[in-house]
Amino acid sequence: MQRPRRLRRTRALRALTRETYLAPEHFILPLFVHEGQGDLPISTMPGVCRHDLPGLLARIQEAVDLGIGSVVLFGIPDHKDALGQESRSEEGVVQRAIRSVRARFPELTIIADTCLCEYTDHGHCGPLVPDSRGGWTVDNDAALPLLAATAVSQARAGADIVAPSAMMDGQVGAIRAALDQAGFGHIPIMAYAVKYASAFYGPFREAAGSAPSVGDRASYQMDPAGGYREAIREAQLDVDEGADFLMVKPALAYLDVLRVVRDTFDLPLVAYNVSGEYAMLKAAAQAGMLDERRSVLETLGSLRRAGADAIMTYHALDAARWLREDREATRPVRTTEVAER
Ligand code: PBG
């Protein structure tokens, strides 16, 4: 009789035959930096703060000590306006943060989220123009040069990767051309290629103060019920425009999309385990409904199994800590050591 259970009998056998694994170098830690003083907690994301510069550097030190090699930075400016000017200012909140982090951690991979919604007073990812129905819509082509200028300013500050998340058509091509022209041909683009208009961004928008003041993002982010053809088309366009990484976002309700993108394209693939997905497990754990450690590691593991190379996750610090503990606890020990335990 075939007995698959033979390979599950011991910890070491299970580890030997495991098909996917998690490690801290797979994680990208998202961090918020604001212009005020102190670390301000985000009520919908227990354990996550809006950092000031010293707080940001301290948090990154923790991450680096746990073996995490990459962070993605989101800036929250004091001043927001219709065009999101602060997104591309040399003295902007994220540009200053990138410079300090770069100076302190020369080897860290610094990813800059390239978008306007944290910087516009209306919370949309590009400038608004009146539409034909008496409402407002985002002007795609007017957003492109603003996004390109934002990416160049981030690269100039010292970002290793820019990550455009605005879901404007042509944004990857516009950013690639601008980076090349400014002498940043070596800076890769991590394209939020397949990004859905999701309810799971709610806590992030509280954190960044970027909830749209009029309308929603459904006219540029993807329809959650959309299928694989649309996902492939979005990813293909970003590949053609020069993307170096592809991303699927959110992650959990889109594991099937991750798998399809993995099987269709050969670029490195990132899964963004977004704020609402984090909040969901945190809330359940705090209510005593789930074992946080096991449910988080199982969840992150599912993203690797679905095909993600890298995972953006607010759980990165906890997960890296748990993985280290597991590693220490699962080393095969001598009989004398077993007795000592
Ligand atoms: C910017 C951006 C958003 C997120 C990442 N980049 C917000 C949005 O699209 O509304 C959300 C990430 C999260 O929920 O953790 N456009």
Side-chain angles (χ1 to χ4, degrees):
M1 184 166 55
Q2 286 292 319
R3 288 190 187 274
R5 283 187 54 194
R6 281 180 197 128
L7 302 182
R8 297 181 199 136
R9 192 170 51 84
T10 67
R11 259 191 196 150
L13 271 172
R14 292 192 292 273
L16 183 70
T17 56
R18 193 164 288 148
E19 293 179 52
T20 61
Y21 67 98
L22 282 171
E25 54 269 27
H26 300 146
F27 300 148
I28 300 168
L29 176 66
L31 292 165
F32 299 98
V33 56
H34 71 120
E35 297 193 272
Q37 297 268 307
D39 288 346
L40 310 176
I42 300 161
S43 66
T44 49
M45 300 177 75
V48 179
C49 290
R50 279 167 284 215
H51 295 287
D52 63 3
L53 265 183
L56 180 74
L57 294 170
R59 185 46 67 92
I60 292 177
Q61 184 68 58
E62 266 181 78
V64 166
D65 290 343
L66 286 163
I68 295 168
S70 309
V71 298
V72 55
L73 299 182
F74 297 95
I76 308 162
D78 277 349
H79 178 72
K80 303 192 184 210
D81 58 39
L83 295 176
Q85 309 273 8
E86 282 295 296
S87 76
R88 47 207 177 271
S89 146
E90 200 169 322
E91 288 306 313
V93 56
V94 92
Q95 287 77 5
R96 278 186 286 128
I98 293 168
R99 283 198 295 272
S100 320
V101 175
R102 175 83 298 148
R104 176 81 77 89
F105 301 97
E107 312 257 286
L108 182 76
T109 297
I110 304 175
I111 304 168
D113 183 81
T114 305
C115 197
L116 302 180
C117 61
E118 298 108 273
Y119 301 90
T120 51
D121 50 14
H122 46 70
H124 280 286
C125 305
L128 292 183
V129 286
D131 71 9
S132 53
R133 285 186 215 82
W136 298 91
T137 188
V138 172
D139 184 341
N140 189 94
D141 295 3
L144 298 181
L146 310 185
L147 291 166
T150 302
V152 169
S153 76
Q154 292 167 334
R156 193 167 281 137
D160 295 292
I161 300 177
V162 295
S165 63
M167 286 304 280
M168 295 298 121
D169 293 336
Q171 64 182 9
V172 171
I175 288 171
R176 184 69 272 158
L179 286 173
D180 291 351
Q181 213 200 334
F184 296 109
H186 57 290
I187 296 296
I189 297 176
M190 182 179 282
Y192 285 70
V194 184
K195 174 172 172 180
Y196 291 90
S198 171
F200 290 96
Y201 307 149
F204 175 98
R205 292 178 187 172
E206 184 218 324
S210 64
S213 57
V214 289
D216 57 32
R217 301 209 214 291
S219 72
Y220 44 107
Q221 298 181 349
M222 293 163 64
D223 182 350
Y228 302 133
R229 292 197 305 265
E230 186 187 13
I232 289 171
R233 184 151 179 255
E234 282 285 357
Q236 184 68 61
L237 285 168
D238 285 0
V239 171
D240 295 345
E241 291 175 32
D244 299 279
F245 296 81
L246 294 174
M247 195 193 303
V248 173
K249 172 187 175 192
L252 293 184
Y254 303 91
L255 290 173
D256 56 333
V257 177
L258 264 175
R259 172 47 59 191
V260 166
V261 173
R262 164 76 299 146
D263 290 345
T264 312
F265 300 95
D266 55 11
L267 292 185
L269 181 59
V270 184
Y272 197 148
N273 177 225
V274 301
S275 57
E277 299 174 325
Y278 172 85
M280 208 161 52
L281 291 187
K282 276 284 174 187
Q286 288 186 348
M289 295 178 182
L290 279 180
D291 176 329
E292 182 177 0
R293 174 185 183 131
R294 292 186 55 206
S295 53
V296 168
L297 292 177
E298 185 174 332
T299 297
L300 299 180
S302 77
L303 306 183
R304 293 271 300 161
R305 194 184 63 235
D309 298 298
I311 302 173
M312 278 194 190
T313 179
Y314 305 92
H315 297 291
L317 287 165
D318 287 334
R321 206 170 288 120
W322 294 326
L323 289 171
R324 173 184 285 186
E325 287 168 14
D326 283 353
R327 184 158 288 268
E328 278 156 19
T330 57
R331 180 175 58 87
V333 295
R334 280 177 286 115
T335 40
T336 47
E337 282 180 289
V338 173
E340 283 160 17
R341 277 190 175 185

